Amino acid sequence: MKFPSTFILSLLATVALAADLGGREISVGSDTTYPPFEFVDETGTIVGFDVDLVNAICERIGCVARFESTAWDGIFPALAAGEFDMVASGVSITPERAEVVEFSEPYHVVTQAITVRVADADLTFDDLVADEGRVFGAQTGTTNAFFAEDAFGRDRLNLYDTFSQAVQALLNGDVDGVVIDSVPADAFAAEYAGSLVVDIRGLGEDPLGLVFPIGSDLVDAFNEGLAEIEADGTLEALKLRWFVAED
């Protein structure tokens, strides 16, 4: 079969424009206390949805990801200082953050949720707001913490370095609920089934993106790879693998 010369030129141009980082190693900063997005398994390996996401993109664009555990507090200054090439850590895309970093296109949208002890499973959001004796937990510097402060007031909010610590505080009775994204909320509720439940959902939507320093040459390449894994079904398969189906 013969093809018009214009088609061949177009095809060659498309191939030429395809991202290829030539096997480049990419260091990825991640707060690895945030299942199922990123966490350390029993073998000491960093695993999770974001890990598989970045690795799948790297397969398409010719790079090798090396994940590094880092604390959430200070993760963006560390990125700007060049401690790693990018961040993959379930990061919500916000206008304020977009002033100091560059984001990929969104790869998932989460809603904010509140996890409580099973004894409080029937309480509504209005119940939680009205009961001024109830205290809530969230991870410092997150959109969840900002939402919780607006909803309940700073004096009813305990901030923690990690969501794992906030969830442990809930189990210990130190707080009455944890404001957290819906996906990790479901993961923690599954881990502590019979003790915790996701009581409130849909408190606002947050698109998640991969994060790069301003001016990074990786943004376009990762957006291209992200588009590829979305088009071929890989992205959806990763969500089915890692995310607990909501009730």
Side-chain angles (χ1 to χ4, degrees):
M1 179 182 294
K2 295 183 178 180
F3 296 94
S5 59
T6 53
F7 173 82
I8 295 174
L9 290 174
S10 176
L11 179 61
L12 290 174
T14 300
V15 172
L17 290 173
D20 184 358
L21 298 180
R24 177 174 165 185
E25 182 177 86
I26 307 296
S27 58
V28 186
S30 189
D31 173 13
T32 55
T33 64
Y34 197 50
F37 286 105
E38 42 272 325
F39 59 100
V40 179
D41 70 10
E42 62 277 2
T43 70
T45 303
I46 299 173
V47 298
F49 173 84
D50 281 337
V51 178
D52 285 356
L53 172 74
V54 172
N55 285 335
I57 292 174
C58 275
E59 288 179 5
R60 274 49 171 204
I61 64 175
C63 59
V64 178
R66 174 172 52 82
F67 274 77
E68 302 178 17
S69 292
T70 189
W72 173 259
D73 188 25
I75 198 170
F76 299 127
L79 175 67
E83 293 185 22
F84 21 79
D85 299 312
M86 61 179 289
V87 164
S89 200
V91 180
S92 298
I93 300 172
T94 69
E96 295 79 12
R97 289 172 179 167
E99 293 179 359
V100 295
V101 299
E102 289 194 42
F103 285 101
S104 70
E105 293 297 321
Y107 61 80
H108 190 61
V109 176
V110 294
T111 62
Q112 301 217 27
I114 301 178
T115 301
V116 299
R117 292 181 291 275
V118 291
D120 294 331
D122 293 331
L123 295 177
T124 67
F125 179 70
D126 289 341
D127 292 333
L128 298 178
V129 172
D131 188 345
E132 296 184 357
R134 292 185 180 273
V135 178
F136 299 87
Q139 185 178 31
T140 187
T142 61
T143 55
N144 314 100
F146 303 147
F147 174 86
E149 183 170 351
D150 287 342
F152 305 113
R154 182 63 184 88
D155 58 338
R156 296 175 60 190
L157 175 62
N158 292 349
L159 295 176
Y160 298 89
D161 290 337
T162 69
F163 271 114
S164 295
Q165 293 173 350
V167 168
Q168 191 60 52
L170 177 60
L171 290 165
N172 293 342
D174 297 327
V175 298
D176 299 293
V178 172
V179 182
I180 185 172
D181 290 343
S182 54
V183 171
D186 287 324
F188 282 119
E191 181 178 356
Y192 298 106
S195 297
L196 302 181
V197 64
V198 184
D199 182 40
I200 310 292
R201 298 180 184 272
L203 297 176
E205 293 187 343
D206 284 345
L208 306 183
L210 303 172
V211 190
F212 306 87
I214 295 291
S216 172
D217 64 342
L218 296 175
V219 179
D220 289 343
F222 270 80
N223 276 335
E224 183 174 322
L226 177 59
E228 288 187 29
I229 67 168
E230 184 172 15
D232 68 17
T234 300
L235 181 59
E236 183 62 26
L238 292 179
K239 293 179 182 181
L240 291 173
R241 175 187 178 189
W242 285 106
F243 297 166
V244 176
E246 294 186 5
D247 295 332

